Amino acid sequence: MGIRVWRRLGLILLLGAIALSGCEKKEEEKTSIKVGVSVYDSHDTFLAELMSDFNKLVTRKADESGVAISVEVKNAGWNQSTQNSNAEDMLNDGCDILCINLVDRTAPTAIIDLARQKNVPVIFFNREPVEGDLDRWEHLYYVGTDAGQAGCMQGEIAAEAFRQHPEYDRNADGEIEYVMIEGESGHQDAIVRTEVSVSMLVDSGFKVKKLKSAIGNWLRPQAFTKMEQIIAECGDEIELVLANNDDMALGAIDAYNSAKIPMEDRPVIIGIDGTDAGVVAVKNKEMYGTVLNDKEGQAEAMVNLVYAEAVLGDVSGIDFTEGRYIRVPHSKIVGE
Ligand code: BGC
């Protein structure tokens, strides 16, 4: 056979291979998938609401696409090694993709290694792995928000309140005496929201004085106990309470209720999240305002990413904020 015949044969084989790989791509699209989710604490109000939205949106996606999508949710109960076992069990159960709400955001290695061995993508959400961990494999993602934006909006709500109502400066000393109730230490949202909300107030031209700060670990009962002590110590000196989330702002409100302090003698209380109970408190004017941590938007971003990765095997249609991060924007909720 001459060289030209061999060339032609080569070309035919090449075209055949391209055509086959095209067919293979189609075959990769799945008609049923299993999603494994592990949350750090299934009793966390914000996460419970986010997961309820996630489940609703999964059902909608399955109905629209005709792909059967089953979801298995496990509770890590604040324990990273429990979460590592959750992930291992879900991988052994044949999950096609994992959604992990890390207990310890500095410790994703075990899960990344297990998932990578099985070639199963991982979407981390709400509790952000430290920089660099997401670069360890191309099928790792993060869905959350920009913590600085939440802090900034909380500071803006406070600035606006004191601008519109100079009488909120109860002792008229030209300074805002405030209490900060912080979420779990080490959590990106607690660190950044705490810092940015106050610097926003200062940048808006207000003088501020921190009376007390306390860690409430995101939890309403813990914030209640801490705030009871703070009210006992600082009483009506307090002009503003900034809480890193709505549950802790509600805990502060509980403390004012339990101390039977009338509404007109209470400080401005501002939360973050826009949980169902948080929004009710804003409507009732118990909470001055809150920042919407868009749980539905985050759940929707997760569902779209699950579908793109695990069903289509193609994430080119996903709008990433940066790299493989999706950050859903916040907005302000104020009673007035
Ligand atoms: C939310 C908190 C929640 C925490 C859990 C934060 O983004 O604002 O309400 O408890 O995430 O990781």
Side-chain angles (χ1 to χ4, degrees):
M1 266 188 281
I3 280 186
R4 286 175 66 183
V5 178
W6 277 114
R7 271 211 193 120
R8 182 160 296 169
L9 206 63
L11 188 67
I12 290 167
L13 283 174
L14 185 70
L15 287 174
I18 291 170
L20 267 179
S21 73
C23 293
E24 259 170 32
K25 181 119 190 80
K26 270 234 146 92
E27 274 166 19
E28 272 171 18
E29 285 188 20
K30 299 205 176 106
T31 51
S32 83
I33 58 160
K34 212 166 168 183
V35 187
V37 184
S38 170
V39 288
Y40 91 105
D41 173 17
S42 60
H43 305 294
D44 177 294
T45 307
F46 172 76
L47 280 156
E49 291 182 9
L50 189 150
M51 284 314 301
S52 140
D53 286 341
F54 180 81
N55 286 325
K56 277 185 217 146
L57 291 166
V58 161
T59 309
R60 194 172 82 188
K61 191 78 173 177
D63 289 347
E64 282 169 8
S65 63
V67 173
I69 309 176
S70 66
V71 180
E72 186 180 346
V73 184
K74 291 189 186 277
N75 179 17
W78 290 84
N79 187 321
Q80 189 57 57
S81 41
T82 304
Q83 185 163 67
N84 296 350
S85 317
N86 285 171
E88 194 168 3
D89 292 347
M90 293 187 300
L91 289 167
N92 290 337
D93 282 355
C95 282
D96 300 280
I97 189 160
L98 297 184
C99 296
I100 303 288
N101 175 233
L102 282 167
V103 174
D104 177 352
R105 70 188 193 97
T106 65
T109 312
I111 294 178
I112 293 176
D113 290 348
L114 283 169
R116 197 172 172 179
Q117 273 163 25
K118 300 226 171 187
N119 202 27
V120 169
V122 185
I123 302 172
F124 294 102
F125 65 103
N126 168 258
R127 299 163 73 91
E128 186 173 339
V130 291
E131 227 183 315
D133 275 332
L134 234 53
D135 294 336
R136 299 189 33 211
W137 188 35
E138 60 186 326
H139 296 287
L140 304 175
Y141 304 90
Y142 178 69
V143 174
T145 58
D146 171 358
Q149 187 187 50
C152 186
M153 289 188 179
Q154 191 181 44
E156 281 171 359
I157 295 174
E160 205 46 38
F162 282 85
R163 213 174 278 131
Q164 283 176 12
H165 301 276
E167 72 279 11
Y168 288 169
D169 176 12
R170 296 173 178 277
N171 57 3
D173 65 349
E175 243 181 7
I176 303 176
E177 275 87 13
Y178 75 94
V179 168
M180 177 68 73
I181 311 184
E182 294 178 37
E184 198 186 340
S185 48
H187 192 300
Q188 82 282 343
D189 287 338
I191 300 166
V192 180
R193 289 172 186 176
T194 300
E195 195 185 302
V196 177
S197 58
V198 176
S199 50
M200 185 66 214
L201 258 179
V202 174
D203 291 349
S204 309
F206 288 95
K207 280 198 193 142
V208 297
K209 182 173 161 200
K210 181 162 82 185
L211 294 176
K212 296 274 172 201
S213 76
I215 294 180
N217 285 316
W218 306 122
L219 299 168
R220 185 168 177 164
Q222 284 196 21
F224 167 72
T225 314
K226 297 278 167 76
M227 200 62 208
E228 264 194 321
Q229 290 163 8
I230 295 174
I231 294 174
E233 285 170 40
C234 304
D236 56 12
E237 269 184 84
I238 310 164
E239 293 168 342
L240 170 66
V241 177
L242 294 172
N244 281 173
N245 78 344
D246 281 356
D247 258 16
M248 296 190 298
L250 291 165
I253 295 168
D254 294 341
Y256 278 96
N257 287 339
S258 133
K260 300 202 167 35
I261 297 176
M263 290 288 272
E264 61 277 15
D265 293 338
R266 296 184 188 184
V268 173
I269 301 175
I270 308 175
I272 293 180
D273 272 347
T275 57
D276 298 345
V279 172
V280 169
V282 175
K283 279 192 187 141
N284 293 343
K285 300 205 183 315
E286 286 182 308
M287 204 191 290
Y288 185 87
T290 185
V291 177
L292 180 70
N293 183 2
D294 185 356
K295 47 189 189 278
E296 197 181 353
Q298 289 167 72
E300 189 174 17
M302 286 165 65
V303 172
N304 289 339
L305 195 47
V306 160
Y307 189 83
E309 250 292 0
V311 178
L312 305 176
D314 174 13
V315 295
S316 61
I318 302 286
D319 200 6
F320 293 106
T321 318
E322 81 244 28
R324 289 186 304 277
Y325 287 76
I326 298 178
R327 296 193 193 275
V328 176
H330 296 93
S331 55
K332 295 180 215 170
I333 303 176
V334 185
E336 287 166 9

